[in-house]
Amino acid sequence: MKIFLDTANLNSIKKFNDMGLLDGITTNPSLMSKEGGNPKDVMEEITKIIKGDVSLEVVSTEYSGMIDEGKRLCKYGDNVVVKVPMTPDGLKACKLLSSEGIPVNVTLIFSANQALLAAKSGAKYVSPFIGRLDDVGQDGIHLIKEIKEIFSNYDFETQILVASIRHPVHVVDAAKIGADVVTLPPAVLDKMLQHPLTKIGLENFLSDWEKLKAGNPNVKI
Ligand code: G3P
């Protein structure tokens, strides 16, 4: 399963990329707004840091605007994936951009039928938002199971990019289903790195080493 980071924060991107964890990045207008600065500069910088796919989202809601913006976004780097919303105009833009070899991520997917239609339009990725479904009392992970089954039944090449992930259990559940990609907020990836027994175990190792050194002050590794 690929891991993308769901952020436009350059420090977080560099931090996790240096650990070799990142296969790509997803951004959206809310994440861009949170970081401030000139979005064009931030987007270009992200495409330079990360080798894998970087999703950059259009803000137009009608077809021709989406196409113009999508083609401009592609110039920010060779690894740009144009993100369009799950609307009729979004799917029309997805079809045109995909037919010209520009990869598209269809975002704001909340049902299996929406995922099916986005795949039919030629999307490289569909982004179901599981946390937002959980928030309204629907089962986000169940949606991933449904999409996985449908895409497997018909050998769709479209990849399931699980978004709106809120905690590490979402990640384990998505991996067990066989989702292609999870996109994680930095805070979730931080939590996945940690376990209290790792912390306690390391503290014990270091304190035992100090005891050994107390008897042999010149000891070194
Ligand atoms: O990429 C966008 C998606 O992950 C949104 O997450 O937490 O705003 O529902 P959230």
PDB file of all heavy atoms in Angstrom, residues 62-64 66-67 84-85 87-99 104 106 117 121:
ATOM      1  N   GLU A  62     -16.646  24.930 -13.091  1.00  0.00           N
ATOM      2  CA  GLU A  62     -17.182  24.586 -14.418  1.00  0.00           C
ATOM      3  C   GLU A  62     -16.063  24.079 -15.324  1.00  0.00           C
ATOM      4  O   GLU A  62     -14.893  24.370 -15.115  1.00  0.00           O
ATOM      5  CB  GLU A  62     -18.004  25.730 -15.023  1.00  0.00           C
ATOM      6  CG  GLU A  62     -17.370  27.104 -14.999  1.00  0.00           C
ATOM      7  CD  GLU A  62     -16.322  27.289 -16.045  1.00  0.00           C
ATOM      8  OE1 GLU A  62     -16.508  26.733 -17.139  1.00  0.00           O
ATOM      9  OE2 GLU A  62     -15.304  27.958 -15.769  1.00  0.00           O
ATOM     10  N   TYR A  63     -16.495  23.278 -16.319  1.00  0.00           N
ATOM     11  CA  TYR A  63     -15.592  22.481 -17.144  1.00  0.00           C
ATOM     12  C   TYR A  63     -14.393  23.240 -17.719  1.00  0.00           C
ATOM     13  O   TYR A  63     -13.252  22.863 -17.488  1.00  0.00           O
ATOM     14  CB  TYR A  63     -16.427  21.835 -18.268  1.00  0.00           C
ATOM     15  CG  TYR A  63     -15.631  21.156 -19.336  1.00  0.00           C
ATOM     16  CD1 TYR A  63     -14.955  19.964 -19.079  1.00  0.00           C
ATOM     17  CD2 TYR A  63     -15.553  21.701 -20.619  1.00  0.00           C
ATOM     18  CE1 TYR A  63     -14.216  19.335 -20.062  1.00  0.00           C
ATOM     19  CE2 TYR A  63     -14.824  21.074 -21.612  1.00  0.00           C
ATOM     20  CZ  TYR A  63     -14.150  19.901 -21.327  1.00  0.00           C
ATOM     21  OH  TYR A  63     -13.418  19.280 -22.300  1.00  0.00           O
ATOM     22  N   SER A  64     -14.673  24.362 -18.430  1.00  0.00           N
ATOM     23  CA  SER A  64     -13.548  25.004 -19.124  1.00  0.00           C
ATOM     24  C   SER A  64     -12.545  25.581 -18.127  1.00  0.00           C
ATOM     25  O   SER A  64     -11.333  25.531 -18.350  1.00  0.00           O
ATOM     26  CB  SER A  64     -14.039  26.074 -20.110  1.00  0.00           C
ATOM     27  OG  SER A  64     -14.748  27.063 -19.397  1.00  0.00           O
ATOM     28  N   MET A  66     -11.907  24.313 -15.200  1.00  0.00           N
ATOM     29  CA  MET A  66     -11.147  23.169 -14.657  1.00  0.00           C
ATOM     30  C   MET A  66     -10.038  22.747 -15.623  1.00  0.00           C
ATOM     31  O   MET A  66      -8.935  22.407 -15.210  1.00  0.00           O
ATOM     32  CB  MET A  66     -12.068  21.972 -14.423  1.00  0.00           C
ATOM     33  CG  MET A  66     -13.007  22.126 -13.251  1.00  0.00           C
ATOM     34  SD  MET A  66     -13.932  20.582 -13.059  1.00  0.00           S
ATOM     35  CE  MET A  66     -15.196  21.111 -11.936  1.00  0.00           C
ATOM     36  N   ILE A  67     -10.371  22.763 -16.911  1.00  0.00           N
ATOM     37  CA  ILE A  67      -9.361  22.359 -17.909  1.00  0.00           C
ATOM     38  C   ILE A  67      -8.198  23.360 -17.899  1.00  0.00           C
ATOM     39  O   ILE A  67      -7.022  22.968 -17.866  1.00  0.00           O
ATOM     40  CB  ILE A  67      -9.986  22.277 -19.330  1.00  0.00           C
ATOM     41  CG1 ILE A  67     -11.097  21.214 -19.359  1.00  0.00           C
ATOM     42  CG2 ILE A  67      -8.920  21.999 -20.389  1.00  0.00           C
ATOM     43  CD1 ILE A  67     -10.653  19.809 -19.053  1.00  0.00           C
ATOM     44  N   VAL A  84      -9.928  16.921  -9.264  1.00  0.00           N
ATOM     45  CA  VAL A  84     -11.192  17.581  -9.625  1.00  0.00           C
ATOM     46  C   VAL A  84     -12.296  17.046  -8.723  1.00  0.00           C
ATOM     47  O   VAL A  84     -12.229  15.896  -8.264  1.00  0.00           O
ATOM     48  CB  VAL A  84     -11.564  17.347 -11.119  1.00  0.00           C
ATOM     49  CG1 VAL A  84     -10.473  17.853 -12.060  1.00  0.00           C
ATOM     50  CG2 VAL A  84     -11.873  15.876 -11.397  1.00  0.00           C
ATOM     51  N   PRO A  85     -13.314  17.864  -8.475  1.00  0.00           N
ATOM     52  CA  PRO A  85     -14.400  17.377  -7.614  1.00  0.00           C
ATOM     53  C   PRO A  85     -15.331  16.415  -8.349  1.00  0.00           C
ATOM     54  O   PRO A  85     -15.428  16.441  -9.574  1.00  0.00           O
ATOM     55  CB  PRO A  85     -15.146  18.664  -7.240  1.00  0.00           C
ATOM     56  CG  PRO A  85     -14.878  19.598  -8.370  1.00  0.00           C
ATOM     57  CD  PRO A  85     -13.509  19.260  -8.903  1.00  0.00           C
ATOM     58  N   THR A  87     -18.250  15.990  -9.635  1.00  0.00           N
ATOM     59  CA  THR A  87     -19.432  16.684 -10.162  1.00  0.00           C
ATOM     60  C   THR A  87     -19.515  16.337 -11.652  1.00  0.00           C
ATOM     61  O   THR A  87     -18.531  15.828 -12.215  1.00  0.00           O
ATOM     62  CB  THR A  87     -19.271  18.214 -10.033  1.00  0.00           C
ATOM     63  OG1 THR A  87     -18.125  18.612 -10.807  1.00  0.00           O
ATOM     64  CG2 THR A  87     -19.099  18.663  -8.584  1.00  0.00           C
ATOM     65  N   PRO A  88     -20.643  16.643 -12.314  1.00  0.00           N
ATOM     66  CA  PRO A  88     -20.698  16.381 -13.757  1.00  0.00           C
ATOM     67  C   PRO A  88     -19.572  17.084 -14.515  1.00  0.00           C
ATOM     68  O   PRO A  88     -18.913  16.479 -15.374  1.00  0.00           O
ATOM     69  CB  PRO A  88     -22.086  16.921 -14.152  1.00  0.00           C
ATOM     70  CG  PRO A  88     -22.909  16.740 -12.900  1.00  0.00           C
ATOM     71  CD  PRO A  88     -21.957  17.035 -11.761  1.00  0.00           C
ATOM     72  N   ASP A  89     -19.319  18.364 -14.187  1.00  0.00           N
ATOM     73  CA  ASP A  89     -18.219  19.069 -14.859  1.00  0.00           C
ATOM     74  C   ASP A  89     -16.869  18.446 -14.503  1.00  0.00           C
ATOM     75  O   ASP A  89     -15.970  18.353 -15.346  1.00  0.00           O
ATOM     76  CB  ASP A  89     -18.209  20.557 -14.477  1.00  0.00           C
ATOM     77  CG  ASP A  89     -19.272  21.332 -15.231  1.00  0.00           C
ATOM     78  OD1 ASP A  89     -20.460  20.984 -15.099  1.00  0.00           O
ATOM     79  OD2 ASP A  89     -18.919  22.282 -15.958  1.00  0.00           O
ATOM     80  N   GLY A  90     -16.740  18.006 -13.251  1.00  0.00           N
ATOM     81  CA  GLY A  90     -15.491  17.365 -12.819  1.00  0.00           C
ATOM     82  C   GLY A  90     -15.224  16.097 -13.624  1.00  0.00           C
ATOM     83  O   GLY A  90     -14.100  15.850 -14.054  1.00  0.00           O
ATOM     84  N   LEU A  91     -16.261  15.305 -13.864  1.00  0.00           N
ATOM     85  CA  LEU A  91     -16.061  14.062 -14.621  1.00  0.00           C
ATOM     86  C   LEU A  91     -15.766  14.355 -16.097  1.00  0.00           C
ATOM     87  O   LEU A  91     -14.951  13.667 -16.720  1.00  0.00           O
ATOM     88  CB  LEU A  91     -17.285  13.142 -14.497  1.00  0.00           C
ATOM     89  CG  LEU A  91     -17.536  12.548 -13.108  1.00  0.00           C
ATOM     90  CD1 LEU A  91     -18.585  11.435 -13.192  1.00  0.00           C
ATOM     91  CD2 LEU A  91     -16.269  12.015 -12.458  1.00  0.00           C
ATOM     92  N   LYS A  92     -16.418  15.410 -16.621  1.00  0.00           N
ATOM     93  CA  LYS A  92     -16.137  15.792 -18.019  1.00  0.00           C
ATOM     94  C   LYS A  92     -14.665  16.221 -18.130  1.00  0.00           C
ATOM     95  O   LYS A  92     -13.963  15.845 -19.082  1.00  0.00           O
ATOM     96  CB  LYS A  92     -17.080  16.946 -18.403  1.00  0.00           C
ATOM     97  CG  LYS A  92     -17.183  17.199 -19.876  1.00  0.00           C
ATOM     98  CD  LYS A  92     -18.271  18.237 -20.136  1.00  0.00           C
ATOM     99  CE  LYS A  92     -18.106  18.859 -21.513  1.00  0.00           C
ATOM    100  NZ  LYS A  92     -18.985  19.992 -21.721  1.00  0.00           N
ATOM    101  N   ALA A  93     -14.209  16.995 -17.161  1.00  0.00           N
ATOM    102  CA  ALA A  93     -12.800  17.428 -17.148  1.00  0.00           C
ATOM    103  C   ALA A  93     -11.889  16.217 -16.974  1.00  0.00           C
ATOM    104  O   ALA A  93     -10.836  16.110 -17.616  1.00  0.00           O
ATOM    105  CB  ALA A  93     -12.568  18.436 -16.024  1.00  0.00           C
ATOM    106  N   CYS A  94     -12.297  15.277 -16.126  1.00  0.00           N
ATOM    107  CA  CYS A  94     -11.504  14.052 -15.895  1.00  0.00           C
ATOM    108  C   CYS A  94     -11.327  13.295 -17.211  1.00  0.00           C
ATOM    109  O   CYS A  94     -10.225  12.868 -17.556  1.00  0.00           O
ATOM    110  CB  CYS A  94     -12.206  13.175 -14.853  1.00  0.00           C
ATOM    111  SG  CYS A  94     -11.412  11.590 -14.578  1.00  0.00           S
ATOM    112  N   LYS A  95     -12.413  13.172 -17.952  1.00  0.00           N
ATOM    113  CA  LYS A  95     -12.346  12.435 -19.228  1.00  0.00           C
ATOM    114  C   LYS A  95     -11.378  13.111 -20.196  1.00  0.00           C
ATOM    115  O   LYS A  95     -10.522  12.462 -20.798  1.00  0.00           O
ATOM    116  CB  LYS A  95     -13.737  12.347 -19.849  1.00  0.00           C
ATOM    117  CG  LYS A  95     -13.723  11.597 -21.161  1.00  0.00           C
ATOM    118  CD  LYS A  95     -15.076  11.541 -21.810  1.00  0.00           C
ATOM    119  CE  LYS A  95     -14.950  10.876 -23.167  1.00  0.00           C
ATOM    120  NZ  LYS A  95     -15.388  11.727 -24.253  1.00  0.00           N
ATOM    121  N   LEU A  96     -11.502  14.435 -20.345  1.00  0.00           N
ATOM    122  CA  LEU A  96     -10.650  15.144 -21.307  1.00  0.00           C
ATOM    123  C   LEU A  96      -9.186  15.097 -20.879  1.00  0.00           C
ATOM    124  O   LEU A  96      -8.310  14.742 -21.670  1.00  0.00           O
ATOM    125  CB  LEU A  96     -11.147  16.601 -21.435  1.00  0.00           C
ATOM    126  CG  LEU A  96     -10.542  17.544 -22.486  1.00  0.00           C
ATOM    127  CD1 LEU A  96      -9.230  18.162 -22.057  1.00  0.00           C
ATOM    128  CD2 LEU A  96     -10.381  16.865 -23.846  1.00  0.00           C
ATOM    129  N   LEU A  97      -8.920  15.438 -19.609  1.00  0.00           N
ATOM    130  CA  LEU A  97      -7.524  15.474 -19.146  1.00  0.00           C
ATOM    131  C   LEU A  97      -6.906  14.079 -19.237  1.00  0.00           C
ATOM    132  O   LEU A  97      -5.777  13.916 -19.713  1.00  0.00           O
ATOM    133  CB  LEU A  97      -7.459  16.007 -17.709  1.00  0.00           C
ATOM    134  CG  LEU A  97      -7.849  17.494 -17.525  1.00  0.00           C
ATOM    135  CD1 LEU A  97      -8.007  17.841 -16.042  1.00  0.00           C
ATOM    136  CD2 LEU A  97      -6.826  18.428 -18.174  1.00  0.00           C
ATOM    137  N   SER A  98      -7.650  13.053 -18.806  1.00  0.00           N
ATOM    138  CA  SER A  98      -7.129  11.677 -18.860  1.00  0.00           C
ATOM    139  C   SER A  98      -6.826  11.269 -20.297  1.00  0.00           C
ATOM    140  O   SER A  98      -5.802  10.625 -20.563  1.00  0.00           O
ATOM    141  CB  SER A  98      -8.123  10.682 -18.259  1.00  0.00           C
ATOM    142  OG  SER A  98      -8.421  11.021 -16.928  1.00  0.00           O
ATOM    143  N   SER A  99      -7.704  11.664 -21.226  1.00  0.00           N
ATOM    144  CA  SER A  99      -7.492  11.274 -22.633  1.00  0.00           C
ATOM    145  C   SER A  99      -6.252  11.960 -23.206  1.00  0.00           C
ATOM    146  O   SER A  99      -5.671  11.497 -24.183  1.00  0.00           O
ATOM    147  CB  SER A  99      -8.718  11.600 -23.484  1.00  0.00           C
ATOM    148  OG  SER A  99      -8.792  13.005 -23.662  1.00  0.00           O
ATOM    149  N   VAL A 104      -5.628  12.111 -13.300  1.00  0.00           N
ATOM    150  CA  VAL A 104      -6.662  12.841 -12.550  1.00  0.00           C
ATOM    151  C   VAL A 104      -7.036  12.062 -11.289  1.00  0.00           C
ATOM    152  O   VAL A 104      -7.137  10.833 -11.302  1.00  0.00           O
ATOM    153  CB  VAL A 104      -7.916  13.056 -13.429  1.00  0.00           C
ATOM    154  CG1 VAL A 104      -9.030  13.739 -12.634  1.00  0.00           C
ATOM    155  CG2 VAL A 104      -7.570  13.882 -14.674  1.00  0.00           C
ATOM    156  N   VAL A 106     -10.139  12.067  -8.691  1.00  0.00           N
ATOM    157  CA  VAL A 106     -11.490  12.592  -8.452  1.00  0.00           C
ATOM    158  C   VAL A 106     -11.761  12.554  -6.950  1.00  0.00           C
ATOM    159  O   VAL A 106     -11.716  11.491  -6.315  1.00  0.00           O
ATOM    160  CB  VAL A 106     -12.567  11.816  -9.243  1.00  0.00           C
ATOM    161  CG1 VAL A 106     -13.952  12.371  -8.916  1.00  0.00           C
ATOM    162  CG2 VAL A 106     -12.302  11.924 -10.748  1.00  0.00           C
ATOM    163  N   LEU A 117     -18.435   5.746 -11.252  1.00  0.00           N
ATOM    164  CA  LEU A 117     -18.535   6.718 -12.351  1.00  0.00           C
ATOM    165  C   LEU A 117     -17.202   7.422 -12.592  1.00  0.00           C
ATOM    166  O   LEU A 117     -16.814   7.664 -13.742  1.00  0.00           O
ATOM    167  CB  LEU A 117     -19.635   7.742 -12.051  1.00  0.00           C
ATOM    168  CG  LEU A 117     -21.053   7.143 -11.913  1.00  0.00           C
ATOM    169  CD1 LEU A 117     -22.067   8.248 -11.620  1.00  0.00           C
ATOM    170  CD2 LEU A 117     -21.460   6.356 -13.151  1.00  0.00           C
ATOM    171  N   SER A 121     -14.845   7.440 -16.006  1.00  0.00           N
ATOM    172  CA  SER A 121     -14.373   8.676 -16.650  1.00  0.00           C
ATOM    173  C   SER A 121     -12.872   8.687 -16.882  1.00  0.00           C
ATOM    174  O   SER A 121     -12.346   9.637 -17.438  1.00  0.00           O
ATOM    175  CB  SER A 121     -14.721   9.898 -15.796  1.00  0.00           C
ATOM    176  OG  SER A 121     -16.077  10.166 -15.878  1.00  0.00           O
TER     177      SER A 121
END
